Every structure is written in structure tokens, then in C-alpha cells.
Amino acid sequence: MKNETQLERYKKLTSYIDKYFKEDIDIKKIEEICHYSYRNINRIFLALHNETIGKYIKRIRLEKAAQYLKFSNSKIADIAFQVGFENAPAFNKAFKSKFNCTPKDFRNSAEANRNIIKTAFDINAKPLEFSIEFLRDFDFLYLEYRGIFSDNIAVEKTWEELLHYCEKENLISSNTIFLAELLDDNEICDSIHFRYNCAINLDRPNEIEPKGLFKVKKHKRQKYAKFKHIGAYEKSHETYNKIYGYWLTDVQLEFADKPSIEKYPSFFKAIPEEQQVIEIYIPVQ
């Protein structure tokens, strides 16, 4: 999208929807944000997302509901209301249409998968280690990757674009922290819509006017369960599997409805793959 006005309005819209998607977002509000008619902004949105605004909101509501079913013991009716559905029957119908099963069956399947994961680990293996930490307020510049979670080449290309932009704008210093914000669960989200924000922290956010598809976002102070993956970045899914498998039994913390964060202390360092480190921050209440 070469038109900067269209691009800025599109960025404002996506930021608004991602923040308020559980609420009743009407057409007038969208038109106020974008200064376009709903018809025109919907065309732009469809071209970039391969889905309309309405379908996008419905999809991320259902995917968020699936996360609640997977990681919490909340009642299904409460989850339906929490993600923006007015009643349980409407939620059940929409959920079954997307996931080809009822919410109850989905939760039972998630429990079965946890048991499978747990049996895959040696009973004498080292316990799942984690610490509780708070990440302070900070601002970060990011570029969104949207696509298949396991497409390492595409993810690396997004990182390269971010780094090129940061070097061009002289944003990287000795205090730079390389991190990622994971907005979706790759086991739930449609593969082509998985969202992963490649990012760096900003020392002087007020001096930055992001161009193109680059955005600046503020991270609010949040409590996390912090885990550590040591080894090749590409094998981090093994650590996530263990976290998922033992979450309800060993960790026993309630998830918070915030994105997960990854920090890369060994980013840009010439070290062997087996020594690479990812700090994984899972938001908790």
C-alpha cells in the first residue's frame, strides 16, 4: 500500500480492533477512526487480510475463546460472554462452524493432548522450572509477521526488514533488547493469520515517527511466568509443548489475556545453536 494516508488509517483501525475486538464495534466507530466510508476501508482491509472486517473480528473472538477453553477451567457460557457473544447458543454454533467440534469437545481434546505431551517426557526428567517476574512499562517498535508459524524463512525476512529499518533510522544501541510479541496460539489460529510482532525496545519513543507498516506500541506493566529455552531457536516449540503439557498441573497459574513475549539475549551473537537462548514470558494474573 503506497498511499501513506490509507496506510495510517489502516494502522489505526487494526490497532483499535485488536484492542477492543470483544466489544460491540459498530460501523460508525470504524468510519470515525478511518475517516473513510465503511465500504472503502473494508475493501482495503479485505485486500490486506483476505477477509472482511466483520469476519476478522468474529475469527479472533473464536480463537480467543479456544485459548480460554484450552488454558482455563472457566465455564463455557462465561467464555462466550467474555469474548463478545450475547448468548451460548450463538457461540456454540459459531465455534462448531469454525473448529468442527463443540466447545466442550474442544476442551476435552485439549486435555487429552496435554496427557499425550506429558507421557512423551521422561518421568524422571528435570521439573519444569520457571520464575514469576514483572515486565515494566516500555515502548517498542515492531513489524508484524502474519503467516505460517513454522515458516522460519518468512519470519527471518520480517526480522531482516525490521533490522534494516532500525539501522537506517539509527535506533539500535548497546541497550537494545530484541523481542517478539506473540498475539496468537499457533495451534488454534488459522495458519495464514498467525500474528508475530518482531520488535526492539525504544529509549526515546516520542522521537520516533514510524513509517510504512512499522508501528510503535506501549507495553503496560504485566506479571509473567518466565521460562527459558536453551538451544536452537527452531526447536523452541519443544519447550512450549512442555509448558503447555504441565501448565494446569505443575504451574497452576491463571492465564492473563495478554500477548506472550519472547526476549532474545543471544540475538546477533556468534554462538553455537545449542547455546542460543529464548526467554519466554507467559502472562498470568
Side-chain angles (χ1 to χ4, degrees), residues 10-138:
Y10 163 77
K11 287 162 65 176
K12 287 182 180 179
L13 175 62
T14 54
S15 295
Y16 178 81
I17 292 176
D18 287 343
K19 185 175 182 179
Y20 296 106
F21 69 90
K22 297 177 187 176
E23 302 178 13
D24 185 17
I25 302 177
D26 61 20
I27 291 176
K28 288 184 178 179
K29 184 63 178 179
I30 290 174
E31 290 179 336
E32 287 176 8
I33 293 169
C34 301
H35 303 288
Y36 275 157
S37 69
Y38 182 79
R39 180 184 179 186
N40 286 336
I41 193 60
N42 206 29
R43 284 178 174 176
I44 295 171
F45 197 93
L46 177 61
L48 292 172
H49 283 260
N50 295 314
E51 58 187 341
T52 62
I53 295 171
K55 287 184 177 180
Y56 175 76
I57 293 172
K58 184 176 182 180
R59 176 176 61 78
I60 59 177
R61 282 179 173 177
L62 291 170
E63 289 171 356
K64 180 59 67 177
Q67 283 184 301
Y68 290 150
L69 291 167
K70 180 177 176 181
F71 292 112
S72 80
N73 293 316
S74 299
K75 293 180 180 179
I76 292 175
D78 292 341
I79 291 174
F81 179 76
Q82 193 172 0
V83 300
F85 284 84
E86 294 183 358
N87 56 70
F91 168 68
N92 290 339
K93 182 178 180 180
F95 192 94
K96 188 172 183 179
S97 177
K98 176 170 177 55
F99 292 103
N100 296 316
C101 66
T102 66
K104 182 179 179 180
D105 288 340
F106 183 92
R107 170 169 275 169
N108 290 339
S109 177
E111 177 62 29
N113 287 338
R114 270 194 293 271
N115 292 331
I116 292 172
I117 290 170
K118 290 172 71 174
T119 57
F121 292 103
D122 187 343
I123 193 171
N124 296 316
K126 192 176 181 180
L128 187 63
E129 295 182 353
F130 67 95
S131 60
I132 298 299
E133 293 192 15
F134 285 85
L135 291 184
R136 60 176 176 78
D137 290 359
F138 66 90

Side-chain angles (χ1 to χ4, degrees), residues 1-9 36:
M1 186 188 296
K2 294 182 179 180
N3 187 303
E4 288 297 322
T5 300
Q6 289 185 351
L7 184 56
E8 289 305 313
R9 291 174 181 178
Y36 275 157

Side-chain angles (χ1 to χ4, degrees), residues 208-273:
I208 304 299
E209 293 185 6
K211 302 174 183 177
L213 290 172
F214 295 93
K215 296 182 183 180
V216 170
K217 187 174 183 180
K218 180 177 288 295
H219 172 277
K220 297 289 187 179
R221 186 174 186 270
Q222 173 63 42
K223 180 180 178 182
Y224 293 91
K226 176 186 174 182
F227 303 83
K228 186 175 289 187
H229 168 79
I230 300 177
Y233 293 147
E234 292 78 8
K235 293 185 178 181
S236 63
H237 66 277
E238 296 176 1
T239 300
Y240 275 102
N241 282 344
K242 191 170 184 180
I243 294 170
Y244 165 62
Y246 285 88
W247 187 268
L248 292 181
T249 57
D250 288 17
V251 181
Q252 296 184 333
L253 291 171
E254 189 72 20
F255 274 88
D257 188 11
K258 302 290 182 182
S260 296
I261 300 289
E262 290 183 352
K263 287 187 179 181
Y264 309 105
S266 56
F267 202 81
F268 262 170
K269 296 180 180 178
I271 61 174
E273 283 190 348

